[in-house]
Amino acid sequence: MVWKLRVFGGSGHGDQFILRYLMNIRDRLTGLFRTYIAENNPDLIVRMEGNESMKRYISDKVSTAMVLAKKLREQGSKDSEILDTCLESMVSDLKPSKFRFVKDLIERNFKKKYDQLSETGVLTYEIINIIEKHDHLFEKHGFREKKGSNIQLESEFTAVLFDRFENT
């Protein structure tokens, strides 16, 4: 994203500083957002892999957040506040994380299998496969709409995981 700056006389050094500052914020937000997705929504990466849609998705999210970043900077917010607020706005539609939900269930209830999958490097792909195969359970229980724990969803997924891990 390119920010157009008006120069009202003078040397324009202040405008160059603001542009560099915003570019730095953009780069940091991009890195933070990529890290967040990799840790909490790697299924999104796999679904968008092999094409430009992931780059476009990240670019669009960062561009939208930069409008907020610019406004927060003008209001005198600190860098850490700007980054936190912007990142939160960028990830709000990615919460709660189906990936994190399933990963936590496996780790909590099937620790030995969790460690085995993690050690062999297939944990992420196993979780993504489980999500894809049983996404209907998330829909059935309104996973994205509900806040807090969902005992019924946890119970059904634990049964699915038991069948998957105990029968293999």
Side-chain angles (χ1 to χ4, degrees), residues 83-132:
L83 291 170
D84 289 344
T85 302
C86 290
L87 185 61
E88 187 59 37
S89 75
M90 294 166 70
V91 303
S92 64
D93 63 334
L94 297 175
K95 291 181 178 181
S97 167
K98 294 176 184 179
F99 181 87
R100 181 64 62 188
F101 174 83
V102 174
K103 182 179 180 185
D104 291 347
L105 271 180
I106 296 170
E107 186 175 21
R108 187 171 59 239
N109 298 321
F110 304 93
K111 182 69 171 139
K112 187 175 179 181
K113 189 66 172 181
Y114 176 90
D115 291 342
Q116 178 189 9
L117 293 169
S118 186
E119 288 171 11
T120 58
V122 296
L123 178 64
T124 298
Y125 290 102
E126 182 72 16
I127 293 170
I128 290 170
N129 289 332
I130 291 167
I131 291 169
E132 288 176 354

Side-chain angles (χ1 to χ4, degrees), residues 33 35-36 82 85 93 126:
F33 190 53
T35 299
Y36 180 89
I82 293 171
T85 302
D93 63 334
E126 182 72 16

Side-chain angles (χ1 to χ4, degrees), residues 37-58:
I37 291 172
E39 292 175 0
N40 295 285
N41 302 88
D43 50 314
L44 182 65
I45 296 170
V46 172
R47 279 196 316 262
M48 294 185 173
E49 194 173 352
N51 58 37
E52 292 294 311
S53 58
M54 188 61 164
K55 287 180 184 177
R56 190 172 30 260
Y57 175 74
I58 291 172

Side-chain angles (χ1 to χ4, degrees), residues 1 30 33 54-64:
M1 166 178 255
T30 300
F33 190 53
M54 188 61 164
K55 287 180 184 177
R56 190 172 30 260
Y57 175 74
I58 291 172
S59 177
D60 290 348
K61 285 288 203 173
V62 171
S63 293
T64 301

Side-chain angles (χ1 to χ4, degrees), residues 25-38:
I25 291 290
R26 182 201 62 214
D27 293 345
R28 290 168 65 188
L29 279 174
T30 300
L32 290 169
F33 190 53
R34 286 180 187 273
T35 299
Y36 180 89
I37 291 172

